[in-house]
Amino acid sequence: MTPTEGPHALTHIQSLPSWLVGRVAARGRGLVAEAIAEEGLKLPQHAVLAAVSEYGPVAQADLVRRLGFDAKDVVLLLNQLEEAGLALREPDPRDRRKNAVTVTPAGVRVLERCAELAERANSALLAPLDAAEARQLMDLLTRVHEA
């Protein structure tokens, strides 16, 4: 009988690095999502606002490419961010047929608070580790990610 058959199949699956990393990632995403909800944002809105802040003024099509989100979703997310006063779409001065998106001062403040909240959430995620173990985990995860 192989490890994937019989009474220990679930135990085998749960011992795989891919399963463990996925569960930890899901917990981390949940903690961050809960934290940034204090600022009224969901994870996709936060990602779009962060990309606008980092790359703005930026065309909507460039946001789609950079984030790997569906174009319709980006439009919806930008609508929500604009309605909340966190982002602004204006005609792109380089190409008037396109919109350039920028983050507003209120958006910058929300991003700063979200960064603090995300740091706290990640500290909670890594709370079972001491500082050296947390650094080692980050080093190992980075190596696996970059491979």
Side-chain angles (χ1 to χ4, degrees):
M1 189 161 33
T2 68
T4 58
E5 298 173 355
H8 302 290
L10 180 58
T11 302
H12 176 258
I13 290 168
Q14 292 174 335
S15 72
L16 296 172
S18 55
W19 189 89
L20 290 169
V21 168
R23 298 307 309 146
V24 171
R27 181 165 181 263
R29 274 190 306 277
L31 289 169
V32 171
E34 185 179 314
I36 68 170
E38 289 182 30
E39 288 299 319
L41 291 183
K42 294 185 170 136
L43 289 173
Q45 293 168 322
H46 184 231
V48 169
L49 188 60
V52 170
S53 176
E54 189 161 329
Y55 301 113
V58 61
Q60 290 177 197
D62 290 336
L63 284 174
V64 168
R65 281 190 290 281
R66 288 185 183 274
L67 293 168
F69 289 4
D70 182 87
K72 287 181 252 168
D73 292 338
V74 170
V75 169
L76 176 64
L77 292 164
L78 286 172
N79 288 345
Q80 294 165 350
L81 293 170
E82 199 167 29
E83 286 170 17
L86 305 177
L88 182 63
R89 284 182 279 200
E90 298 178 308
D92 189 332
R94 296 167 296 200
D95 184 347
R96 302 292 256 177
R97 297 169 296 171
K98 297 179 182 179
N99 280 326
V101 187
T102 56
V103 66
T104 65
V108 170
R109 289 189 298 275
V110 165
L111 280 172
E112 289 169 352
R113 288 189 299 269
C114 283
E116 293 168 11
L117 293 166
E119 286 294 330
R120 276 193 248 149
N122 277 278
S123 291
L125 177 69
L126 299 180
L129 307 177
D130 65 31
E133 290 170 328
R135 280 191 304 277
Q136 182 181 23
L137 177 62
M138 289 302 297
D139 291 344
L140 293 170
L141 289 172
T142 300
R143 278 181 37 206
V144 170
H145 174 70
E146 291 174 350

